[in-house]
Amino acid sequence: MSYRKLWIAFILVIVGSFSVLGYYGAEIYRSAPPVPDRVVTTSGKVLWKGADIKDGQNVWQSTGGQELGTVWGHGSYVAPDWSADWLHKEAVYILDRWAETEYGTSFDHLDVEPAAALKARLQASLRKNTFDSGSGDLVVSDLRAEAILETASHYRRLFNDDPALADLREAYAMKEPTVSDPERLDDLTAFFFWTSWACVTERPGKAITYTNNWPPDETVGNVPQPALHLWTGFSVILLIAGIGLLGWWYASHREEDLAPSEFPENDPLLGLNPTPSMRATLKYFWVVTALILVQVILGAITAHYGVEGSGFYGFDLSEYLPYSLARTWHVQLAIFWIATSWLATGLFIAPAVSGHEPKFQRLGVNVLFGALLIIVVGSLTGQFLSIMQRLGFETGFWFGHQGYEYVDLGRFWQIFLLAGLFIWLGLMVRAILPALKRESDSRPLLGMFVIASAAIALFYGAGLMWGRQTNLAIAEYWRWWVVHLWVEGFFEVFATVVIAFLFVRLGLLRTKTANVAVLFSTNIFLAGGIIGTFHHLYFTGTPTAILALGATFSALEVVPLVLMGFEAYHNLTLSRAKPWLKAYKWPIWCFIAVSFWNLVGAGVFGFLINPPIALYYMQGLNTTAVHGHTALFGVYGMLGIGLMLFVLKGLAARNVWKDGVLSFAFWSINIGLALMVFISVLPVGLAQTVASIRDGLWYARSAEFLQQPWLDTLRWLRVIGDTVFAAGTVALTWFVIGLKTGWSVRDEADLPTAE
């Protein structure tokens, strides 16, 4: 069969999509909010220099950056969005000063008409762009300078150890002090001012701010622009059309599946004799299991900070493990263990598919394992030293904490990891190359396998495209190349190919069907996914065109996910088709869970927040955490566990598994994840959404709102889901250890080694 049309479509999707991504990336460079050379008052007083703002960005990064509150809506969910919070405080100060001067009372006590007049005056004042590109000066009125300095004073006291703000630090789960150096504190406030200035200042010649009128705050005139409604409607229409077309294609190709009667009568992998390099991957999965357990413990600690501030059942944990550090490690370890599981699976599969063990392959696998361990330990240590304020700006950037969620590790560790990925790519290609050279029906599948492997190595390199003091809007553009294109994009393609390989190898899927399905699904996913990266950048200092493209193409990302119910049912049918398939019951059930969470977590909860008008009010709220947990762990985490179990079945345990503990682990993890989301995180997020629409994002993220007793109760309810979830991960760890000790297997042979 010729796959020429599918390959041509693949090339067109890649070339066309990255051309658009690159062109509008250049637009982001040209139109990013400018960093002024000086912030000066109309009377000539210099408040800050540009270097102060840039150094302040580095101070913010050293505290954990996006792991402590958010800026422009990206980051953690306990502390405020600093840009929204600063902006509102500054506005309230100015309104109160005017009200006291002109009416002898506070703004809150004014009648409707004078209040409206002052608010209109405020909006005209704040939204006017007073940046002079010629001189590099940003000029503010003397009154606004007062408001700026008053707000800056609040932040300096908050991030230091002012006893009067101890309760607020407790509510924000902030280390005391978070920053103590006076110069660093001053620089930090300069950066926060700049981020809020971009939120309220209109672009030259436009009636919209640098952040597309985000955050919602009617006081300063930040209301949704008409384009948000327009492109939201268009994205829904496109979603419906895409679902219809994909449903037609899916229905027209289902007859290509093998009938259960055509499945092999015996396990095709019975004779699999692992090569030395395949056996060397076993230790990767022991580490994966350990990292899962530690990551989940850190997740429980991070969640608990939301209800007890700096304490952990009365113990002042923040002195040793601050919230921003616990969350950093929680997020970082998730990426590490999921990626390690997938990479190890690739190293296991490549020689199995080709039947070729290259010279020194085992040595390469062992060297890579050592490198990964060094990266994990080194990067986590650097992040600890950075958050404890023990590193300078340069040292912190290279070895400490970059402050960007999901790519928190220092630049040295980024480069080290990139080198490790290229070592992995080399190991993969040299093992798979003999099979790729042979004429066979599986060459398209092998070709996509190599392409996906190469993309995993290459696209992590996007994380090297920003520097220590790169404009935040530009750094966010490249960060999402890593988070979206690397994690959500080409890892997804790699996973699709690996699962197809497994099913073909087991004789459950025709090679031709697998080739077509992988190429077609890759084209569909990347057609929406590459340009869909822009849906993360609606409000990060980007032009309106980013909003239109992101809304349109992110809707296409959801299209293939609506058929995951069919995929789950298909996998369930496979697991029951032949008696010998019982040996693979739990890996296949993990794939079923992946399909479920793809539909619910990535599909439903992803589209809940992706349309522009929805994200305008929801960005930075717990609704994002709902999508993050159910998509990252539900999809990628469960797939990582499934792949691990598949490899362990053929590698570490040739006997029948005692799967009672594994059954408990599987159901506890999935039920715990559902409980965590549905009885705690989602209700809190929806409550915040109502507050964001009604009063503004500053209020939805404030201690005043979040510390209400009923919301405190909702956060405590998360303990139920977290406990069930944690019990499942402990059971999984117990089971995997038991494969080595023997308590997880029976004496009955299941997958005997070939004679």
Side-chain angles (χ1 to χ4, degrees), residues 77 295-296 298-300 302-303 323 327 330-331 334 338 405-406 597 600-602 605 621-638 669 672-674 676-677 681-682 718 722 725:
Y77 312 104
Q295 191 244 337
V296 170
L298 287 167
T302 302
Y323 167 81
R327 192 177 191 274
H330 173 63
V331 172
I338 291 171
E405 192 178 23
Y406 296 109
W597 290 115
V600 176
F605 292 141
L621 305 184
N622 275 272
T623 44
T624 306
V626 170
H627 170 58
H629 281 82
T630 53
L632 183 58
F633 194 100
V635 178
Y636 297 107
M638 288 307 302
I669 288 172
L673 181 58
M676 178 197 312
V677 168
V681 185
L682 181 59
R718 181 170 168 173
D722 284 1
F725 187 89

Side-chain angles (χ1 to χ4, degrees), residues 18 21 459 480-490 529-530 533:
F18 278 106
L21 206 64
F459 279 92
W480 286 108
W481 272 61
V482 178
V483 180
H484 186 87
L485 287 176
W486 188 64
V487 177
E488 300 180 42
F490 288 98
I530 295 174
T533 304

Side-chain angles (χ1 to χ4, degrees), residues 483-501:
V483 180
H484 186 87
L485 287 176
W486 188 64
V487 177
E488 300 180 42
F490 288 98
F491 256 124
E492 180 84 15
V493 175
F494 179 77
T496 301
V497 177
V498 167
I499 292 176
F501 264 131

